[in-house]
Amino acid sequence: MAKMEVKTSLLDNMIGVGDMVLLEPLNEETVINNLKKRFDHSEIYTYIGSVVISVNPYRSLPIYSPEKVEDYRNRNFYELSPHIFALSDEAYRSLRDQDKDQCILITGESGAGKTEASKLVMSYVAAVCGKGAEVNQVKEQLLQSNPVLEAFGNAKTVRNDNSSRFGKYMDIEFDFKGDPLGGVISNYLLEKSRVVKQPRGERNFHVFYQLLSGGSEELLNKLKLERDFSRYNYLSLDSAKVNGVDDAANFRTVRNAMQIVGFMDHEAESVLEVVAAVLKLGNIEFKPESRVNGLDESKIKDKNELKEICELTGIDQSVLERAFSFRTVEAKQEKVSTTLNVAQAYYARDALAKNLYSRLFSWLVNRINESIKAQTKVRKKVMGVLDIYGFEIFEDNSFEQFIINYCNEKLQQIFIELTVKEEQEEYIREGIEWTHIEYFNNAIICDLIENNTNGILAMLDEECLRPGTVTDETFLEKLNQVCATHQHFESRMSKCSRFLNDTSLPHSCFRIQHYAGKVLYQVEGFVDKNNDLLYRDLSQAMWKASHALIKSLFPEGNPAKINLKRPPTAGSQFKASVATLMKNLQTKNPNYIRCIKPNDKKAAHIFNEGLVCHQIRYLGLLENVRVRRAGYAFRQAYEPCLERYKMLCKQTWPHWKGPARAGVEVLFNELEIPVEEYSFGRSKIFIRNPRTLFKLEDLRKQRLEDLATLIQKIYRGWKCRTHFLLMRKSQIVIAAWYRRYAQQKRYQQIKSSALVIQSYIRGWKARKILQELKHQKRCQEAATTIAAYWHGTQARRELKRLKEEARRKHAVAVIWAYWLGLKVRREYRKFFRANAGKKIYEFTLQRIMQKYFLEMKNKVPSLSPIDKNWPSRPYLFLDSTHKELKRIFHLWRCKKYRDQFTDQQKLIYEEKLEASELFKDKKALYPSSVGQPFQGPYLEINKNPKYKKLKDAIEEKIIIAEVVNKINRANGKSTNRIFLLTNNNLLLADQKSGQIKSEVPLVDVTKVSMSSQNDGFFAIHLKEGSEAASKGDFLFSSDHLIEMATKLYRTTLSQTKQKLNIEISDEFLVQFRQDKVCVKFIQGNQKNGSVPTCKRKNNRLLEVAVP
Ligand SMILES: Nc1ncnc2c1ncn2[C@@H]1O[C@H](COP(=O)(O)OP(=O)(O)O)[C@@H](O)[C@H]1O
Ligand SMILES: [Mg+2]
């Protein structure tokens, strides 16, 4: 099976040519036209072999989306239309898979899109390389280093609102898997003159504006700054605001980026302090002051600013002030101080500002490097991205342009070296004979500039170091002598008179024929700029600062490390750094992006051919193409080549069975392509002329059209045939179905007709049988009916006869019985009548009585004397018997009950009986006493030792011993007394001491009085004239009144044989000494609750209130 994968090619849908190697004919005009055509179709990228040319669109194009990243990911370089992503992908994959370090060289003039291109490369690599938290942090730090460097190193220029004012080379380091580990940034040649002066329409570095617009009030106060740009001499005012740029927002972005990159808060603060100091330096102004000796001397106009700078940086004010007024020159042993005039003072001030800023910038780069450097020591793969100025050809070209162009010259050199080398290597690899390539080698120009003995830079250094008066003119003179014969050096004043009459070459200039064109350099300022002088007094003053960062920026100010040797010149420094860069680049696989600016207006859609032509020239693009095409213009691996063109030859179409190379050979033979037009390499076919390729492409296009027609034809035929086949198949199916349906229908009809006929015949037959059966049935029924009638008649006749017979028999029996009865009655009538009734009556009565007694036997109630139950009377005539029986039974059971008593019990009951006789229904207190047993001696005098004396005094048996209330006769109040009753006496004793108070013989007691009510009061009346009666009668109250009265009564009766008089009355008289007092009981006056109270009302009345 052939591969189904769709192989696209750069050659598909090409606008102009995607690869300018294929341009035919090749000249400046065709190159420009091709670029323009593509630019107009928004194709901003074009290849020269593997070099990408990028034309700045000045508008955002939808070609950098994540989808695009996916499109270009892992695709071959020539597979899709030219794109910076294709180059990035190629570089990244070569790094990852083939372990080749890469460098991406981006050149072009200011505003051509270099920085953007470098960011695109970085973002593409970031998008396709590994993922994960750690990797993402590294990526983020690498990407965030850009805003920081741009704030400090970029500025608005007339060409570019965000122009990088330094060259930058960044190494991104990867591990073996292709995950980023970190990076190293090198910076080249910051345009520090911008700090103190900017051309019209341009600005100082962004950071100054960002700080003033975006810094908080608090921050500005701390830095002693004001928000107003116009306060600062170093800020150009006419273009302080840039359209579409929000400095304040950018300031926040930069602060944020610094944080992400890893700047500590205090570091960021120190950096801003240095920025503030530089800004304020510009405001220091000097005025002349004449000295007596005629020497000019300068003086600081307003020391306020100086003071603030010193506060900010921690420098002693006097030290800095002196450094601005004097210059100390130290030679071997001597130290000479000279005063500075106003111009020199300004020079010193600006030099300090420039140095401070450029050193700060270098410090920033180092600091970022510290943060982003790879953390591991494992072997790293490196991708370098170089974003550096391209060739600069201005009207006035000075030292800077010279240096920049030198750098580009060097870049071109390694480009040539590497391209040619690569080309050569490829030829060897592919086994193709090496043909010499004609191209211009610019090594000779490099030599003119950098040669150590007579190069221009060496001359300049020599001049700068030479004692005596040194000026730019003397330097030019020297050049005129030394370089006069050099082919690429031109000067009016050179010994060689070639240019004597060349008016385009002013006297104060020299011209160099760079590989990209001739450039005229103004010699003025070369010496100064190369010297890059900062007076030692100033660097020492800076070193003395207490501001740690500033101090560290000026290590040469340390007097201990004084170095009389001059610091290296700017030129030699740059030369050295370029040399290291070149060395570095040479070890890597180069990838080129050459940026072109289509117009000077930063506008979209405008393609200024003149401007582009100029750039093409100095970028040496034609040279590029030529070098690339020197041998063979086009090469392609056999497989894709065969795949692309196999339709051009019968043998190879549609499938080639053998190896691809043989297929291509067959193909090319068949097409009769001249042999000198191509060569077979090991894995690639090399085509010498683009013409051949285009011929192939044309043929392919033609053939593709034919093929399309063929495919169309076959497809249509196939479509019609399949349609027809489908119709035929459908027709057969439909016919079959229809036939089946028709047959079914007919069969159904026949079937139903047969059924009808059948049913008719069956019906007729059935009816015939039915008729016959019905006839038979009727005959049978008739016979049965007749038989039934006959039997019926027979049976009824028999029944009638039997009934008649039974009636006769019954009649005979009745008559017989009557006859017999009559006979018997007639015989016995004489035995009945007399005595029968009386006997029956007696018998019945006897039976009833018997039954009554038997029943009573079973119904007798319990033997308890208090049981009131008695069965009800059954017959009225037994009423008296029944009552008598009840009485007898009760008496009998009482007797039974009494028979069980002991003597003691008998005594108790006798007493109780006595009490009942005495008080029942007379005294209201009585019923409550019935349940109380009579205990007599409540107080156990024998046992209580307190009453021992009392006990000893009494010899008789004690019947009652109880505490009673003795009512005081004077006031009705009561006192407790022990009440003792013996066989013959009544005694009262003190309750506490037991001492006998009074003793009354029973014979002297005449009467006991009490109320009829529910109280315990009683009076004991004594015999008048007896010894005891002298004190009067006693009035007591006791809880056991009934018991006491009963016992007193019984004892008196048994001892004196006299009945004691017990009076029950609610009003009685008591003898108190001489007086008789009436004791009166009143009921219902319940003042004191349920206790009866006694009160003496007057002499004659004592009132007892009973509840
Ligand atoms: N590929 C691009 N797509 C859109 N605009 C671009 C592109 N490249 C450059 N630009 C525009 O051109 C301006 C200058 O580009 P820049 O890369 O800063 O130039 P250089 O670094 O070469 O001086 C950018 O600010 C941007 O507006
Ligand atoms: Mg730039």
Side-chain angles (χ1 to χ4, degrees), residues 135-318:
V135 171
N136 282 347
Q137 199 207 338
V138 173
K139 282 186 199 172
E140 191 62 11
Q141 284 196 333
L142 290 175
L143 294 176
Q144 287 300 325
S145 66
N146 273 332
V148 182
L149 289 181
E150 284 190 7
F152 287 86
N154 285 23
K156 181 211 158 160
T157 66
V158 282
R159 295 178 181 81
N160 182 353
D161 289 347
N162 181 30
S163 178
S164 327
R165 307 317 298 161
F166 64 105
K168 177 178 156 194
Y169 174 77
M170 178 168 186
D171 264 337
I172 310 171
E173 297 165 333
F174 297 85
D175 66 5
F176 68 98
K177 304 193 294 296
D179 289 350
L181 292 171
V184 187
I185 299 171
S186 320
N187 63 316
Y188 300 98
L189 211 68
L190 177 76
E191 185 197 43
K192 57 186 169 189
S193 60
R194 183 168 296 272
V195 176
V196 298
K197 194 163 186 300
Q198 307 88 37
R200 270 203 90 78
E202 300 197 352
R203 292 209 309 183
N204 208 325
F205 292 101
H206 292 325
V207 68
F208 295 111
Y209 304 91
Q210 290 176 350
L211 173 60
L212 293 188
S213 321
S216 62
E217 282 309 328
E218 193 194 341
L219 178 66
L220 292 191
N221 279 342
K222 206 166 140 209
L223 300 178
K224 305 183 196 301
L225 290 175
E226 287 169 49
R227 217 179 267 293
D228 185 7
F229 296 155
S230 65
R231 279 273 295 111
Y232 299 100
N233 293 339
Y234 279 169
L235 299 187
S236 69
L237 302 174
D238 57 335
S239 49
K241 281 265 171 284
V242 185
N243 277 349
V245 175
D246 182 350
D247 285 316
N250 287 344
F251 184 65
R252 285 189 288 279
T253 314
V254 171
R255 291 294 303 252
N256 186 36
M258 283 175 105
Q259 218 168 30
I260 293 173
V261 171
F263 280 75
M264 313 297 273
D265 280 348
H266 71 88
E267 286 176 321
E269 250 164 53
S270 293
V271 168
L272 293 179
E273 276 159 14
V274 177
V275 171
V278 170
L279 207 50
K280 292 170 87 63
L281 266 181
N283 286 1
I284 294 179
E285 288 180 340
F286 304 95
K287 58 184 180 198
E289 205 179 55
S290 285
R291 274 245 195 121
V292 220
N293 58 9
L295 281 169
D296 261 350
E297 201 180 281
S298 73
K299 205 167 171 240
I300 293 172
K301 261 192 208 163
D302 174 10
K303 290 192 182 163
N304 220 7
E305 203 78 41
L306 183 76
K307 189 173 143 243
E308 284 184 2
I309 292 173
C310 291
E311 280 167 13
L312 207 56
T313 55
I315 301 175
D316 191 351
Q317 190 178 334
S318 59

Side-chain angles (χ1 to χ4, degrees), residues 44-45 54 56-61 64 108-117 120 160 162-164 387:
I44 60 164
Y45 297 113
S54 156
N56 189 348
Y58 281 121
R59 66 194 160 106
S60 63
L61 294 173
Y64 307 113
E109 76 177 60
S110 182
K114 297 180 297 293
T115 306
E116 290 298 320
L120 285 170
N160 182 353
N162 181 30
S163 178
S164 327
D387 168 13

Side-chain angles (χ1 to χ4, degrees), residues 759-815:
S759 64
Y760 273 108
I761 292 172
R762 282 199 188 128
W764 175 75
K765 268 187 179 168
R767 273 190 302 279
K768 230 172 140 180
I769 292 168
L770 185 68
Q771 232 168 18
E772 231 162 77
L773 285 174
K774 270 182 182 169
H775 177 71
Q776 269 176 17
K777 198 180 169 197
R778 253 201 310 273
C779 291
Q780 267 174 9
E781 270 174 4
T784 319
T785 311
I786 293 164
Y789 274 105
W790 169 243
H791 289 309
T793 321
Q794 292 267 68
R796 270 187 305 278
R797 226 178 259 166
E798 179 66 11
L799 186 67
K800 212 170 156 189
R801 193 189 59 80
L802 286 174
K803 272 183 182 172
E804 191 59 41
E805 205 175 275
R807 223 171 7 244
R808 268 186 215 145
K809 272 183 188 166
H810 184 64
V812 170
V814 170
I815 295 164

Side-chain angles (χ1 to χ4, degrees), residues 340-467:
L340 299 177
N341 61 24
V342 172
Q344 284 169 325
Y346 273 118
Y347 178 86
R349 177 196 77 173
D350 289 348
L352 177 61
K354 287 192 280 190
N355 263 289
L356 202 51
Y357 191 81
S358 68
R359 288 173 192 218
L360 172 70
F361 187 73
S362 302
W363 180 86
L364 272 173
V365 172
N366 287 336
R367 178 65 190 79
I368 291 174
N369 281 339
E370 228 170 76
S371 279
I372 61 175
K373 83 171 166 224
Q375 299 298 324
T376 55
K377 290 245 150 40
V378 294
R379 208 183 75 78
K380 298 157 203 151
K381 304 176 182 189
V382 177
M383 178 183 284
V385 180
L386 181 69
D387 168 13
I388 201 158
Y389 313 97
F391 246 94
E392 286 190 351
I393 309 179
F394 301 143
E395 299 217 326
D396 284 340
N397 302 295
S398 181
F399 182 70
E400 288 87 357
Q401 280 70 43
F402 177 72
I403 291 281
I404 288 164
N405 291 348
Y406 159 61
C407 176
N408 276 279
E409 205 64 69
K410 291 291 282 181
L411 285 174
Q412 173 70 5
Q413 246 251 287
I414 63 164
F415 169 67
I416 291 170
E417 261 177 35
L418 292 175
T419 331
V420 173
K421 201 169 89 195
E422 197 186 32
E423 196 83 0
Q424 219 162 6
E425 274 168 7
E426 177 152 40
Y427 282 19
I428 291 163
R429 204 167 46 238
E430 290 290 332
I432 299 224
E433 204 182 312
W434 172 250
T435 42
H436 180 69
I437 299 172
E438 267 312 322
Y439 64 92
F440 170 68
N441 190 340
N442 68 339
I444 184 167
I445 307 175
C446 294
D447 185 67
L448 169 65
I449 299 171
E450 68 180 2
N451 189 307
N452 278 338
T453 50
N454 54 4
I456 295 177
L457 283 174
M459 295 296 111
L460 184 58
D461 277 1
E462 220 177 279
E463 208 42 27
C464 287
L465 296 178
R466 178 172 65 83

